[in-house]
Amino acid sequence: MSKKQLKDLVHRARCHFRHYKLTVALVIAVLLTFVLTGVSLVIYGLGGFSRFDISRPGLEKVRQSLTKPSVEKTYDTTSPVTAKTVESFVNELDDYTGDLKKNDNFAAPSLSDEELQITTSQ
Amino acid sequence: MTDSLAYRVVKKLHLSVVFLIFGLVASPAMVLAQDASQLTKERCTWLDGYIDTLRQSDLSSRLNRGRDYDNISKQTDAFAQRLRNNHIDTGIFDDLSRQFTDQVSQFRDSYAHYDDSLIALATVDCKNHPDEFIAKLEQARSKRSEIAARVSQIDGILQQYREKATVLQTQLQPAPASQATQ
């Protein structure tokens, strides 16, 4: 291919692009959207985010069973420490441990033979 | 001649005893394995539904626990910081906080492994592959008991933290008025 032919080819491609500018831009935009969506889905799946995504359909009961919304709390870290301070700390800790006790501790034999009503072990 | 007859009788008796013992030991195990496969096949649809429900209730417990652990972590960090700012020794609290963080991290990992094992269990066609289902069920049980162990460890650490804080509270109690005047 001579230099003149190459120049011609580039010129024709340029003209072609100018003519279909909008179409080409749209195709590029759509392709880019597909690629970015694919990347997002891969991150969502492999990153373990899908495991805790309770906005998925079929997880209505899980959404309802969340005991309390997460609250951003600030603590005083500079004032003097008194017996009263420690007492309020212990009380708050008791509240949290009380909340923890309301949840399953995974010790219940939910997958036992008795629960599943099958016999797999002697 | 008589010796060989006696020998044959003893040999037959011996073989009978061997077969009897084998039958007594092996039969229940074989029957049990057949029973498990048969029961799994029969209860397959119910088992699928049960595992799905269990996965949802476990997710709820995991999220609630995770949030409470985060809150406790923030609270204990702030408490230790306040003690440090007041020049109070926080060695034991820092040590317990480290253990707590480590166990919570292991709890999260254990849950992820357990959830993966439940997904693997749910994907097995228990009607056509009951033995594979039972094998995966054993794995899921083992992963679940790992989480239970982590939860128990965390509960123990929090209990220790509480005890140490109560000791500090007693140390900070102002002396009674009668003693102060003496």
Side-chain angles (χ1 to χ4, degrees):
Chain A
M1 191 184 275
S2 70
K3 210 171 174 180
K4 194 173 180 260
Q5 276 176 320
L6 189 71
K7 223 174 172 180
D8 250 20
L9 194 73
V10 172
H11 179 70
R12 261 187 289 151
R14 257 187 205 163
C15 290
H16 206 71
F17 179 74
R18 263 184 221 137
H19 194 256
Y20 297 104
K21 211 193 280 182
L22 185 65
T23 317
V24 171
L26 280 174
V27 168
I28 290 171
V30 169
L31 285 177
L32 204 65
T33 310
F34 275 121
V35 170
L36 290 176
T37 309
V39 170
S40 310
L41 283 173
V42 168
I43 293 170
Y44 174 75
L46 295 180
F49 300 102
S50 60
R51 196 192 302 281
F52 302 114
D53 180 7
I54 51 168
S55 64
R56 285 176 293 155
L59 294 178
E60 292 79 13
K61 279 185 185 166
V62 179
R63 282 198 288 275
Q64 286 163 9
S65 66
L66 291 185
T67 47
K68 278 185 211 163
S70 201
V71 181
E72 275 303 314
K73 211 170 173 185
T74 50
Y75 293 96
D76 178 7
T77 56
T78 49
S79 302
V81 177
T82 61
K84 198 88 184 153
T85 315
V86 183
E87 191 188 345
S88 65
F89 166 80
V90 170
N91 288 341
E92 196 180 337
L93 190 64
D94 286 347
D95 285 346
Y96 286 132
T97 47
D99 277 350
L100 285 172
K101 282 187 184 118
K102 287 177 198 159
N103 292 295
D104 181 20
N105 60 1
F106 296 90
S110 306
L111 287 173
S112 68
D113 285 352
E114 289 75 26
E115 284 292 325
L116 301 177
Q117 295 168 37
I118 55 171
T119 314
T120 57
S121 54
Q122 286 180 334
Chain B
M1 188 75 179
T2 47
D3 273 359
S4 79
L5 183 70
Y7 173 75
R8 270 184 280 164
V9 169
V10 168
K11 197 178 171 185
K12 273 186 184 170
L13 270 172
H14 174 77
L15 278 173
S16 306
V17 169
V18 167
F19 281 127
L20 184 72
I21 291 170
F22 177 76
L24 283 172
V25 173
S27 301
M30 284 158 74
V31 167
L32 201 67
Q34 281 176 347
D35 276 358
S37 295
Q38 195 55 39
L39 278 170
T40 307
K41 272 185 190 175
E42 284 167 13
R43 301 182 57 75
C44 189
T45 316
W46 183 84
L47 286 169
D48 279 343
Y50 179 84
I51 289 162
D52 193 44
T53 312
L54 179 67
R55 235 191 118 205
Q56 290 194 19
S57 73
D58 284 346
L59 175 62
S60 159
S61 301
R62 160 66 185 82
L63 290 173
N64 281 327
R65 280 192 173 272
R67 200 205 40 242
D68 281 333
Y69 290 152
D70 282 345
N71 288 336
I72 289 171
S73 186
K74 278 180 210 161
Q75 191 210 5
T76 52
D77 283 352
F79 179 68
Q81 186 61 47
R82 187 162 175 176
L83 295 181
R84 269 192 291 276
N85 288 339
N86 282 276
H87 310 291
I88 297 171
D89 181 31
T90 59
I92 185 69
F93 293 110
D94 291 341
D95 188 38
L96 288 169
S97 280
R98 263 193 299 277
Q99 287 179 39
F100 176 76
T101 310
D102 183 48
Q103 286 297 324
V104 168
S105 163
Q106 288 189 40
F107 163 78
R108 291 182 205 278
D109 290 345
S110 299
Y111 177 82
H113 293 144
Y114 166 66
D115 193 46
D116 287 341
S117 72
L118 277 189
I119 293 169
L121 183 63
T123 51
V124 176
D125 177 4
C126 45
K127 243 186 189 102
N128 295 317
H129 305 286
D131 294 335
E132 192 187 340
F133 181 87
I134 291 166
K136 298 258 189 221
L137 177 64
E138 281 301 327
Q139 286 173 12
R141 280 176 180 163
S142 144
K143 303 283 177 200
R144 189 178 171 83
S145 60
E146 277 175 32
I147 310 178
R150 295 281 88 80
V151 168
S152 169
Q153 291 268 359
I154 292 168
D155 288 349
I157 294 166
L158 290 176
Q159 186 58 39
Q160 281 185 60
Y161 206 106
R162 191 192 186 283
E163 280 165 16
K164 300 293 172 198
T166 313
V167 169
L168 178 67
Q169 186 189 347
T170 317
Q171 288 167 355
L172 291 169
Q173 269 323 338
S178 58
Q179 279 183 3
T181 49
Q182 278 170 6

